[in-house]
């Protein structure tokens, strides 16, 4: 009796324990059907006992987990008394899925139980935390991997591709469109897409363009609010068209029919307030707003990589430019050294030969001519270098005056005719075309610079033409510009070189075996002058047929008499036997040179070896009729000496000797009070003619 009572007590306690346990305990038969529930209402799923009894437990298991649970059940069936733990999703009475952890135990052989015991508890809370943890972890991995990957990418195309594939992997069911930005055109170009699937070819076929050909402009009112570098949700309905992607409304509607659009998001790629590109994300299912920060951070990393790629590109360009310019400079130096050495060798070599007293007068004359020619070549080269440096330094002065354009052309023509005779280029005909009459051809411009440009172009034409013709001239374009041209039937220039030859140091043929000499500066100087004068210079050419060089200058017609522009001088005999000339010259040889020539006119020559001495002599000697003043002298230079002399002897003519290249120097001479100038090396006929002008005036 006592035992019976004890058993009842125990049974009651067990029942009460079972009913109050927080776990749900069910017993299944060998088919998995529920045959016992520990409480009236399942503690976890909250289904009533009678709703469960007789139903297989698998009915309330999530379809994706069902196979797993069946496997576990079968295993337990085969292995009595072994506990197996299983996590799965189970249906809750309120139609949600909850996470459950069940321990399955086969107690079929226990006659009190005779079934499979399933002890279950709700682990949804833990699962949710785990899931959150996993998302967090995945995001971290996504960002850190991207950061590493992007470090290794420097090519822009690779970066665009990376954005498209990576975002598509990260955001399932989304379409990604990556665009680059063109700063100067203010437009975007689609660079890469992903997620379009089969619709892509149909869509792009409709636009009749490849994706990378689709270019669309920034639309201020829309884009301004979009380019914040933040993820922005766009409502597709809000837009008349799909301006961000350059598709027409029709294309967009077509697209909408094919793909169920959930949302469109946009995020600009920007760095330091500069737009670098744009990414559009179209989702077909879920919102991606919960990944907003991750997407923003990812695209921020991308922007940094794009910016870096841009900087790297600039660096590489700068490096290449530096290398190119280095190469050019070396070529220039080699060339220059050749150009200087050739005439130098000529001068030194023939000077050496002249030392031999036994050479015939004929040979002596020939040697002197060679030295003379080589000296002129050197002077020209030095002039070029000085001119070029001045252009580079922005120190070219333009001295404009009124003059006859036709006379200027005539001078260039005459000087080349003479030179041709000397250089044996008589096979080449030189023609000149003037489009204005001699009366109406007066203009205001810088005649010296224009002459220099024309001389250079005609000189080049002769250099590169062995027979045929050279023609030069001008025409007036639209009454505002003069267009000069120099045309030749020479060797021509290869198309790919035409633009380059205007760059300094560039020659169409830069090989060491080239046939034609030159510094490669002439055209750079000419173009420099043309631009300073307000015009343009260009060339047209066909290899083997010839070239035409053009340049323009503003056309400013003037009325009035022509100012003298260095009229050519004729050989004439002079006799100034009753005159006295003071030569102020510190260089002994230059003095001897001038003295030698002046003596031939029977003039009386006296010498001052510096500026100060010249001033003294002028005040001591009242018979001096004219002074030839060198500019660069020790103690007192030519400008100062001239100014001092002119203070007391305003009427005494002073002719300065200046360096040929420096036009500004001539202007300075006039400012100091000089009456005229001759350029060094002195052209004796020109000097005679100038001296004569003053001596006869005075006398
Ligand atoms: P260079 O002193 O070397 O002649 P330029 O600047 O005057 O320098 O000319 C540069 C190059 O342009 C020349 O070396 C030559 O290759 C080409 N060139 C210039 N003018 C002509 C021309 N009339 N015909 C053919 N080539 C020319």
């Amino acid at each position: 009796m006592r035992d019976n009572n004890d058993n009842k007590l125990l049974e009651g306690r067990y029942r009460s324990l079972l009913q109050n346990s927080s776990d749900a305990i069910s017993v299944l038969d060998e088919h998995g059907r529920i045959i016992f529930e520990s409480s009236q209402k399942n503690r976890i799923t909250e289904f009533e006992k009678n709703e469960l009894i007789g139903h297989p437990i698998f009915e309330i298991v999530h379809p994706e987990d069902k196979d797993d649970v069946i496997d576990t059940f079968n295993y337990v069936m085969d292995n009595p008394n072994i506990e197996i733990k299983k996590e799965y999703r189970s249906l809750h009475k309120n139609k949600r899925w909850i996470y459950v952890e069940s321990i399955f135990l086969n107690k079929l052989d226990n006659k009190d139980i005779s079934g499979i015991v399933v002890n279950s508890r709700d682990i949804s809370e833990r699962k949710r935390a785990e899931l959150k943890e996993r998302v967090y972890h995945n995001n971290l991995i996504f960002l850190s991997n991207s950061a590493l990957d992007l470090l290794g990418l420097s090519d822009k195309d690779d970066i665009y591709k990376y954005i498209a594939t990576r975002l598509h992997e990260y955001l399932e069911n989304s379409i990604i469109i990556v665009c680059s930005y063109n700063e100067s055109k203010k437009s975007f170009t689609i660079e890469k897409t992903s997620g379009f699937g089969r619709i892509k070819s149909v869509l792009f076929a409709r636009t009749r363009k490849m994706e990378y050909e689709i270019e669309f402009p920034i639309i201020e009112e829309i884009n301004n609010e979009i380019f914040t570098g933040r993820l922005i949700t766009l409502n597709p309905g809000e837009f008349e068209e799909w301006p961000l992607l350059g598709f027409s409304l029709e294309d967009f509607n077509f697209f909408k029919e094919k793909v169920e659009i959930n949302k469109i998001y946009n995020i600009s790629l920007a760095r330091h307030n500069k737009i670098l590109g744009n990414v559009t994300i179209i989702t077909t299912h879920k919102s991606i707003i919960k990944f907003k920060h991750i997407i923003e951070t990812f695209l921020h990393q991308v922007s940094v990589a794009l910016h870096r790629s841009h900087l790297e590109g600039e660096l590489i360009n700068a490096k290449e430019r530096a290398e190119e310019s280095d190469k050019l400079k070396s070529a220039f130096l080699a060339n220059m050294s050749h150009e200087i050495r050739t005439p130098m060798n000529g001068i030194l070599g023939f000077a050496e030969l002249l030392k031999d007293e036994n050479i015939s007068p004929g040979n002596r004359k020939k040697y002197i001519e060679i030295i003379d020619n080589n000296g002129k070549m050197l002077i020209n080269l030095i002039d070029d270098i000085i001119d070029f440096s001045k252009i580079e330094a922005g120190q070219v002065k333009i001295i404009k005056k009124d003059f006859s354009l036709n006379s200027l052309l005539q001078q260039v023509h005459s000087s080349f005719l003479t030179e041709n005779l000397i250089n044996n280029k008589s096979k080449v005909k030189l023609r000149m075309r003037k489009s204005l009459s001699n009366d109406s051809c007066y203009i205001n411009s810088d005649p010296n610079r224009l002459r220099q440009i024309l001389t250079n172009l005609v000189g080049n034409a002769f250099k590169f033409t062995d027979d045929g013709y050279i023609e030069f001239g001008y025409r007036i374009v639209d009454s505002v510009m003069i267009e000069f041209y120099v045309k030749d039937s020479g060797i021509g220039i290869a198309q790919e070189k035409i633009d380059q030859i205007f760059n300094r140091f560039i020659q169409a043929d830069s090989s060491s075996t080239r046939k034609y000499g030159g510094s490669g500066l002439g055209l750079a100087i000419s173009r420099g002058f043309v631009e300073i004068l307000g015009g343009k210079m260009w060339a047209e050419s066909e290899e083997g047929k010839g070239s035409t060089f053009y340049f323009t200058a503003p056309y400013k017609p003037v009325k009035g008499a022509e100012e003298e522009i260095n009229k050519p001088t004729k050989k004439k005999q002079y006799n100034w036997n009753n005159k006295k000339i003071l030569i102020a010259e510190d260089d002994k040889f230059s003095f001897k040179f001038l003295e030698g020539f002046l003596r031939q006119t029977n003039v009386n020559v006296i010498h001052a070896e510096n500026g100060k001495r010249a001033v003294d002599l002028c005040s001591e000697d009242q018979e001096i009729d004219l002074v030839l003043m060198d500019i660069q002298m020790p103690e007192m230079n030519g400008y100062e000496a001239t100014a001092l002399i002119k203070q007391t002897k305003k009427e005494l003519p002073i002719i300065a000797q200046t360096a040929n290249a420096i036009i500004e120097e001539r202007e300075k001479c006039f400012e100091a009070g000089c009456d005229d100038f001759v350029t060094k090396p002195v052209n004796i006929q020109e000097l005679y003619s100038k001296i004569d002008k003053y001596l006869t005036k005075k006398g």
Side-chain angles (χ1 to χ4, degrees):
M1 194 64 205
R2 172 128 195 195
D3 272 1
N4 242 350
N5 276 348
D6 279 357
N7 278 345
K8 264 201 182 136
L9 212 65
L10 214 56
E11 226 175 82
R13 190 170 289 154
Y14 281 142
R15 191 177 305 120
S16 181
L17 266 175
L18 273 178
Q19 283 169 353
N20 290 306
S21 154
S22 60
D23 290 357
I25 298 166
S26 316
V27 179
L28 317 177
D29 67 10
E30 61 271 34
H31 302 294
R33 282 185 300 243
I34 300 167
I35 51 171
F36 172 81
E37 278 292 321
S38 59
S39 54
Q40 201 52 40
K41 193 186 211 176
N42 185 296
R43 292 213 172 275
I44 296 163
T45 63
E46 298 200 340
F47 282 112
E48 295 296 331
K49 192 183 209 165
N50 57 11
E51 287 174 300
L52 296 170
I53 297 287
H55 291 273
I57 192 170
F58 315 119
E59 275 182 12
I60 52 167
V61 174
H62 190 284
E64 285 174 15
D65 299 341
K66 199 179 266 176
D67 285 350
D68 258 9
V69 175
I70 291 173
D71 283 352
T72 308
F73 178 79
N74 289 338
Y75 182 84
V76 171
M77 283 293 290
D78 295 343
N79 297 280
N81 297 314
I82 294 181
E83 281 186 354
I84 299 293
K85 211 188 261 178
K86 184 78 209 151
E87 286 178 9
Y88 58 95
R89 280 163 290 179
S90 170
L91 189 66
H92 189 272
K93 171 123 191 197
N94 66 12
K95 299 202 168 72
R96 292 183 286 123
W97 292 105
I98 52 170
Y99 279 95
V100 172
E101 183 189 86
S102 297
I103 297 166
F104 290 77
L105 179 63
N106 181 341
K107 282 285 177 196
L108 280 168
D109 57 356
N110 180 318
K111 55 181 180 356
D112 287 333
I113 301 174
S114 224
I116 315 288
V117 182
V118 184
N119 192 340
S120 309
R121 63 178 50 157
D122 187 345
I123 55 161
S124 298
E125 198 78 351
R126 194 185 86 206
K127 269 289 174 196
R128 259 196 296 276
E130 267 177 29
L131 212 65
K132 220 165 144 184
E133 176 77 22
R134 199 160 62 229
V135 170
Y136 179 73
H137 181 254
N138 284 350
N139 285 344
L140 217 64
I141 295 283
F142 171 72
L143 287 180
S144 59
N145 283 351
S146 313
L148 278 178
D149 292 344
L150 284 165
L151 269 183
L153 297 179
S154 49
D155 183 72
K156 278 197 181 121
D157 286 338
D158 291 344
I159 299 177
Y160 297 135
K161 194 167 154 196
Y162 186 77
I163 307 172
T165 32
R166 211 55 182 129
L167 269 185
H168 181 60
E169 275 166 17
Y170 180 69
L171 307 167
E172 291 160 10
N173 301 315
S174 58
I175 295 171
I176 316 289
I177 300 157
V178 184
C179 298
S180 61
Y181 180 64
N182 184 321
E183 174 83 51
S184 56
K185 287 194 193 164
K186 293 222 173 307
S187 70
F188 295 96
T189 305
I190 300 182
E191 294 288 348
K192 209 79 216 162
T193 62
S194 64
F196 270 113
R198 280 198 317 214
I199 171 92
K200 179 167 159 180
S201 49
V202 192
L203 183 65
F204 285 104
R206 274 179 66 88
T207 64
R208 280 184 217 87
K209 281 180 178 169
M210 299 299 289
E211 50 188 314
Y212 53 81
E213 287 170 346
I214 296 187
E215 206 183 309
F216 51 98
I218 244 191
I219 295 177
E220 297 285 343
E221 65 272 26
I222 296 168
N223 297 117
N224 279 349
E225 45 181 291
I226 286 172
F227 290 108
T228 55
R230 301 253 161 257
L231 188 76
I232 301 215
T233 313
L234 309 175
N235 179 355
E238 270 172 33
F239 294 99
E240 292 266 288
E241 53 188 300
W242 199 6
L244 275 172
L245 296 174
F247 290 118
S248 69
L249 184 57
E250 274 174 14
D251 292 333
F252 185 46
N253 286 338
F254 167 82
F255 177 65
K256 269 201 304 195
E257 275 168 29
K258 306 279 170 195
V259 178
E260 198 184 318
I261 299 180
N262 170 275
K263 283 255 158 52
I264 302 181
Y265 303 88
N266 197 77
I267 179 160
S268 57
L269 300 171
R271 182 106 182 106
H272 302 313
N273 289 329
K274 258 183 76 172
I275 301 175
L276 303 169
N278 188 69
V279 175
T280 306
I281 304 167
I282 300 165
T283 54
T284 50
H285 285 84
K286 284 184 265 177
S287 152
I288 54 162
I289 213 69
K290 60 175 180 244
F291 304 120
K292 182 178 189 308
H293 295 306
I294 305 298
I295 299 170
E296 282 174 359
T297 312
F298 170 64
L299 290 178
H300 175 73
Q301 290 174 349
V302 166
S303 301
V304 172
L306 275 175
H307 183 64
R308 196 197 59 222
S309 147
H310 175 73
L311 291 182
E312 277 172 10
E314 281 189 346
L315 268 180
I316 291 170
N317 277 346
K319 178 173 160 275
E320 279 169 2
R321 275 203 306 275
E323 281 169 358
E324 180 63 14
S325 124
D326 209 41
K327 258 198 330 239
L328 281 178
K329 276 185 192 139
S330 307
F332 171 71
L333 277 181
N335 192 1
M336 215 39 107
S337 137
H338 170 83
E339 292 299 318
I340 293 175
R341 270 168 197 282
T342 314
M344 256 339 229
N345 285 340
I347 293 172
L348 294 177
F350 283 94
E352 190 63 34
L353 289 179
L354 278 180
K355 284 184 189 162
D356 181 354
E357 283 167 9
N358 299 324
I359 46 172
S360 69
N363 273 350
R364 181 180 298 273
K365 195 162 169 255
K366 213 154 73 194
Y367 296 169
I368 291 173
E369 250 169 40
I370 294 174
I371 292 177
D372 188 54
N373 281 341
N374 281 313
K376 281 185 188 142
M377 271 164 68
L378 261 185
I379 288 278
N380 285 341
L381 184 65
I382 291 164
D383 286 351
D384 272 3
I385 297 173
I386 291 177
D387 276 342
F388 183 72
S389 319
K390 288 195 145 192
I391 292 173
E392 290 267 281
Q395 284 178 356
V396 176
K397 273 203 195 140
I398 293 298
I399 300 165
K400 291 193 179 174
K401 47 177 101 168
D402 298 350
F403 64 95
S404 154
L405 193 52
N406 288 357
S407 303
L408 183 113
L409 257 71
Q410 189 61 54
Q411 282 173 22
V412 175
H413 189 255
S414 314
S415 68
F416 275 101
L417 279 188
T418 331
E419 198 162 311
N420 275 2
L421 284 177
I422 300 167
N423 294 338
N424 258 339
K425 279 260 182 177
S426 45
K427 264 169 61 197
V428 184
K429 297 269 163 300
L430 181 63
R431 302 199 292 247
M432 174 176 59
R433 296 267 176 273
K434 299 176 279 195
S435 81
L436 295 172
S437 73
N438 284 349
D439 292 339
S440 60
C441 71
Y442 290 93
I443 60 162
N444 181 277
S445 187
D446 185 330
N448 287 317
R449 296 302 184 200
L450 287 179
R451 186 193 300 109
Q452 209 175 338
I453 300 163
L454 275 172
T455 305
N456 180 12
L457 294 182
V458 178
N460 270 354
F462 270 112
K463 186 153 111 185
F464 297 105
T465 309
D466 284 331
D467 60 78
Y469 68 93
I470 289 164
E471 182 181 306
F472 70 105
Y474 66 87
R475 68 184 182 109
I476 306 297
V477 182
D478 298 334
S479 318
V480 287
M481 289 307 249
I482 315 170
E483 185 183 281
F484 294 89
Y485 71 93
V486 178
K487 190 174 160 80
D488 65 56
S489 60
I491 62 167
I493 305 157
Q495 278 310 309
E496 68 273 13
K497 299 271 177 165
I498 281 200
D499 288 332
Q500 296 174 23
I501 53 168
F502 292 100
N503 294 339
R504 57 195 174 158
F505 316 147
I506 299 272
Q507 295 174 320
D509 178 5
S510 57
S511 61
S512 55
T513 53
R514 70 202 162 88
K515 187 172 153 201
Y516 306 94
S519 61
L521 282 177
L523 288 177
I525 294 171
S526 297
R527 174 130 94 178
F529 285 155
V530 168
E531 283 170 3
I532 294 166
L533 285 172
K536 285 201 171 76
M537 185 171 208
W538 69 99
E540 288 166 5
S541 183
E542 199 175 329
E543 236 177 333
K545 295 225 162 128
S547 321
T548 310
F549 284 80
Y550 297 92
F551 69 96
T552 55
Y555 174 49
K556 300 226 171 81
V558 287
K559 283 203 160 46
E562 177 181 356
E563 217 182 86
E564 271 213 11
I565 26 177
N566 305 344
K567 282 202 171 147
T569 48
K570 278 203 203 100
K571 244 187 182 156
K572 200 175 145 189
Q573 291 298 318
Y574 299 94
N575 190 357
W576 304 312
N577 60 353
N578 53 350
K579 304 284 179 195
K580 192 188 255 186
I581 292 181
L582 166 67
I583 301 180
E585 171 65 78
D586 62 316
D587 180 55
K588 222 166 51 201
F589 294 104
S590 300
F591 169 71
K592 284 271 171 231
F593 169 84
L594 289 173
E595 188 193 29
F597 279 103
L598 289 180
R599 289 244 184 269
Q600 294 176 17
T601 67
N602 304 319
V603 78
N604 185 6
V605 175
I606 56 171
H607 181 208
E609 54 285 351
N610 60 49
K612 189 161 178 315
R613 180 85 187 114
V615 177
D616 292 347
L617 278 175
C618 281
S619 67
E620 286 161 16
D621 188 340
Q622 301 310 316
E623 288 184 351
I624 297 173
D625 294 289
L626 186 140
V627 183
L628 260 184
M629 182 72 78
D630 183 32
I631 292 302
Q632 268 168 356
M633 284 185 295
E635 278 193 55
M636 185 186 286
N637 67 29
Y639 304 124
E640 291 172 57
T642 304
L644 281 175
I645 295 168
K646 284 283 180 179
Q647 274 179 11
T648 52
K649 298 201 160 169
K650 231 174 147 243
E651 301 304 317
L652 179 62
I654 301 181
I655 299 179
Q657 307 170 55
T658 69
N660 187 20
I662 313 193
I663 287 169
E664 290 84 343
E665 200 172 288
R666 298 179 198 167
E667 293 297 308
K668 262 173 97 177
C669 293
F670 287 123
E671 276 164 28
C674 292
D675 298 271
D676 212 330
F677 63 85
V678 288
T679 52
K680 279 181 161 182
V682 174
N683 175 324
I684 288 301
Q685 289 308 319
E686 187 190 344
L687 180 68
Y688 281 160
S689 133
K690 289 201 168 166
I691 294 176
D692 191 51
K693 191 169 101 187
Y694 291 101
L695 291 186
T696 29
K697 213 197 265 174
K698 210 184 164 214

